[in-house]
Amino acid sequence: MKHAIALYACAVMVLLGGCGGTQTAQPRTTVEPEPITHEHNPGDTSASETPQRKPDESDSTDKPANSLDGVTIALDPGHNGGNASHLSRINKKVPDGRGGKKACNTTGTATDDGFPEHEFNWNVATKVRDELEKRGARVIMSRDSNDGVGPCVDERGKFADEADFLVSIHANGSTDSSIRGFGVILAPGEKVEESTKLAEAIVRGFKDHDFPINRAGYGKDGMVERTDLAGLNHASVPAVIVECGEMRNPKEAERMQKDPDAYARALVDGIDAFASYATMGL
Ligand SMILES: [Zn+2]
């Protein structure tokens, strides 16, 4: 799997002018204004940014097209249920992955009637996990319950080192309640080409399930590159944050609370498509 992804990345880099040198990030939409109103602290891997991919003969075995056997997927349900009651712990500064510091974690946002983002993230992530495991994937999670504290953003990236890729699950809390829709965030850097492919697959998954792209803060393609998200900065594998919707938008708030399966299905489709594509190679 990793070998296949590396082959894909190499092929892309060849198209861009070479493979093997320092990858040149091609920020497509580096966005400065951030209508996204809550801080995101997905994981951060302070691990080496050097790709550690090595050819792995076991990856080249033939697999059924729809199987996720042999694929390891890291899921990071944003925030945690105990964060709000442990502010001193989650406000502790940790490396942001670009030379600065950032709070360990945040509480996340909530709907106007108090349904918290951490619970939505957890509900969706566990459903995604269950379905991916049914399809043969190994799934690792950044947290194992919704009543704990943290982990810090750096750990939320590090835990994914052993996975093939990382998907962090969040929801937005824009104060303008007319804003709605999903968006996918990735970071410029070593893994930008593969992360872009992952982001594209997830955007397609959401669109296929009739979710609208969030027009406030994301490009027409539903994606944006950001440098301020510590988890993405430290990820040593392809990584994205998915903002599934807007919790202050009344219709989306209701759907998030009542129908997490809808979001899970969109995510699973996107994740499966990326994993299958990368496993099969070009
Ligand atoms: Zn969040």
Side-chain angles (χ1 to χ4, degrees):
M1 174 68 184
K2 289 191 174 183
H3 184 42
I5 293 179
L7 282 175
Y8 165 74
C10 183
V12 170
M13 284 189 279
V14 167
L15 291 174
L16 294 174
C19 185
T22 303
Q23 184 173 335
T24 304
Q26 307 269 334
R28 88 204 47 228
T29 357
T30 301
V31 164
E32 282 314 339
E34 289 181 22
I36 297 162
T37 56
H38 81 280
E39 279 289 303
H40 280 289
N41 298 323
D44 241 72
T45 307
S46 53
S48 155
E49 296 196 5
T50 307
Q52 307 267 324
R53 304 216 183 273
K54 293 176 183 173
D56 178 356
E57 293 77 12
S58 66
D59 285 338
S60 59
T61 54
D62 46 346
K63 299 167 187 169
N66 294 325
S67 171
L68 295 179
D69 286 349
V71 180
T72 300
I73 298 162
L75 297 180
D76 170 38
H79 317 283
N80 205 336
N83 284 4
S85 54
H86 294 80
L87 292 178
S88 62
R89 276 172 66 183
I90 68 165
N91 285 333
K92 184 186 69 172
K93 300 292 185 187
V94 297
D96 70 358
R98 294 194 184 260
K101 297 274 190 181
K102 193 155 189 177
C104 159
N105 210 213
T106 57
T107 58
T109 187
T111 64
D112 286 341
D113 61 359
F115 177 61
E117 183 199 346
H118 61 76
E119 189 171 336
F120 168 76
N121 298 338
W122 177 252
N123 292 346
V124 173
T126 50
K127 290 175 183 300
V128 171
R129 175 197 61 196
D130 293 349
E131 180 59 31
L132 293 174
E133 286 179 344
K134 278 186 197 168
R135 300 183 188 193
R138 173 174 171 249
V139 178
I140 57 174
M141 305 269 284
S142 61
R143 55 184 171 101
D144 58 11
S145 75
N146 193 40
D147 55 9
V149 181
C152 295
V153 285
D154 49 346
E155 296 171 47
R156 286 178 188 257
K158 287 176 186 174
F159 91 102
D161 283 354
E162 62 182 288
D164 293 299
F165 57 93
L166 165 66
V167 176
S168 184
I169 300 169
H170 285 257
N172 265 336
S174 297
T175 51
D176 180 347
S177 64
S178 70
I179 297 175
R180 67 188 188 116
F182 75 92
V184 183
I185 309 169
L186 58 158
E190 290 278 348
K191 299 293 177 187
V192 69
E193 300 295 343
E194 294 156 284
S195 296
T196 299
K197 192 73 189 169
L198 173 58
E200 288 171 348
I202 290 175
V203 167
R204 204 156 44 241
F206 273 76
K207 287 175 74 175
D208 286 349
H209 286 268
D210 296 324
F211 287 97
I213 289 174
N214 189 329
R215 299 300 182 188
Y218 302 88
K220 288 182 178 176
D221 57 4
M223 294 184 269
V224 66
E225 288 185 13
R226 285 174 57 176
T227 59
D228 60 319
L229 300 173
L232 296 181
N233 291 343
H234 285 270
S236 64
V237 293
V240 296
I241 294 172
V242 184
E243 296 286 358
C244 294
E246 290 283 355
M247 300 198 84
R248 304 287 175 81
N249 177 282
K251 284 188 177 176
E252 292 201 337
E254 182 178 6
R255 191 174 191 186
M256 286 180 177
Q257 193 157 359
K258 293 183 176 173
D259 192 13
D261 290 281
Y263 297 89
R265 284 192 293 270
L267 280 164
V268 166
D269 280 1
I271 289 169
D272 190 308
F274 175 73
S276 299
Y277 180 86
T279 301
M280 295 174 68
L282 295 173

